Amino acid sequence: MTQCHDFSCALPAQIAAHPAPALAPGPVLSAAAQAAPVIDFFHDVVCGWCYVMSPRLRQVARELGLRVRQRSFVLQASRAEMVARFGSMEQAKQTILGHWEACARHDDTQRIDIEGMRRETFEYPSGLAGALACQTAQILEGDEAHWNLFDAIQLAHMSAHRNIGEAEVLLDIATHTGFERNAFARCMESAEALNMVHQDLALAQHLGLRSIPSVIAPGLPTLQTLPLGQLRERLRALVG
């Protein structure tokens, strides 16, 4: 198993019933960035396989000169969805930490602190709050800021076992990465941030995605978690 697909990945009915909407224009890019091949990285802040994949994708994108658009794919958006999928919050944590063990065996730098999270008494969080934070970074500063914050939230979650379901924890992380706290908080609570989460979910539905991480590259099959060398070879086809 190298992706999160045995979670409840079904999209909310009100989102899945509509085609992928037109996305708002991003920040103005340099000529070089506009010319770079573009790929889409679908992820969830609570997904261990995304934690394994993200640094590999960063390295390959840097080596090959690829532009990576960040896309949220929330596996469960609420406590109720967690309970519906796993039966209880206790069982959710037990099952997901079992997934962490598999992820840890594949992590290149052994960053995942399973026992640290096991000792925490808070309920295992859903990914919606983290997705809203990432989309806020997208609104304020674009894809690179989105990716930087995504990685910082994952680090806090899987290495420092912080409760990233809490808004104050996410605001601490955002502030640490350079955002002004109050402005970030206002944007994170906005309809625009939530709509962007919904847009990415609708796009995932349009593309037929059912698992994460998923990397969508023109002319290639969907890529999931791959070793660094294999990922490099697959994406090299984009640059000749």
Side-chain angles (χ1 to χ4, degrees):
M1 174 182 168
T2 56
Q3 63 272 353
C4 292
H5 58 74
D6 55 342
F7 289 65
S8 176
C9 294
L11 301 176
Q14 67 271 25
I15 298 171
H18 298 286
L23 299 177
V28 176
L29 301 172
S30 68
Q34 290 181 36
V38 178
I39 61 179
D40 291 280
F41 179 28
F42 286 82
H43 50 58
D44 188 342
V45 293
V46 299
C47 169
W49 292 112
C50 296
Y51 196 41
V52 174
M53 180 67 158
S54 185
R56 297 175 186 173
L57 185 59
R58 273 189 182 274
Q59 180 173 336
V60 172
R62 183 170 57 249
E63 291 173 359
L64 300 180
L66 306 177
R67 183 159 68 90
V68 183
R69 289 185 299 211
Q70 304 300 310
R71 306 292 193 188
S72 299
F73 190 148
V74 179
L75 296 172
Q76 286 92 38
S78 67
R79 186 181 191 276
E81 290 183 17
M82 297 279 285
V83 172
R85 169 63 184 89
F86 297 103
S88 69
M89 292 305 294
E90 293 78 10
Q91 185 60 41
K93 183 173 182 178
Q94 180 178 337
T95 301
I96 294 169
L97 291 186
H99 299 166
W100 280 32
E101 292 171 358
C103 296
R105 290 193 293 271
H106 291 268
D107 188 31
D108 295 330
T109 53
Q110 298 300 300
R111 301 164 295 162
I112 300 174
D113 187 357
I114 300 164
E115 292 310 313
M117 181 60 82
R118 200 183 307 277
R119 289 192 296 269
E120 298 292 352
T121 58
F122 57 80
E123 293 183 338
Y124 194 90
S126 71
L128 179 58
L132 291 170
C134 289
Q135 294 292 4
T136 296
Q138 180 83 39
I139 293 165
L140 296 175
E141 295 188 10
D143 275 309
E144 189 64 24
H146 182 152
W147 203 352
N148 289 340
L149 186 62
F150 173 77
D151 283 349
I153 293 171
Q154 286 225 292
L155 177 70
H157 177 53
M158 301 201 71
S159 295
H161 38 92
R162 299 179 70 186
N163 184 2
I164 62 168
E166 293 289 339
E168 289 303 312
V169 172
L170 293 169
L171 290 173
D172 286 345
I173 298 167
T175 302
H176 184 72
T177 59
F179 289 98
E180 197 284 316
R181 189 184 188 96
N182 292 332
F184 193 93
R186 288 192 298 272
C187 189
M188 193 166 71
E189 295 173 353
S190 70
E192 183 179 6
L194 181 59
N195 185 54
M196 289 179 69
V197 172
H198 287 185
Q199 285 182 327
D200 281 354
L201 284 169
L203 180 59
Q205 171 73 7
H206 180 72
L207 295 170
L209 301 184
R210 303 296 299 173
S211 60
I212 52 170
S214 286
V215 174
I216 305 299
L220 297 178
T222 301
L223 304 178
Q224 316 260 219
T225 308
L226 293 171
L228 178 63
Q230 290 183 27
L231 181 65
R232 182 185 293 114
E233 288 308 306
R234 298 283 184 87
L235 292 176
R236 196 185 302 278
L238 301 178
V239 296

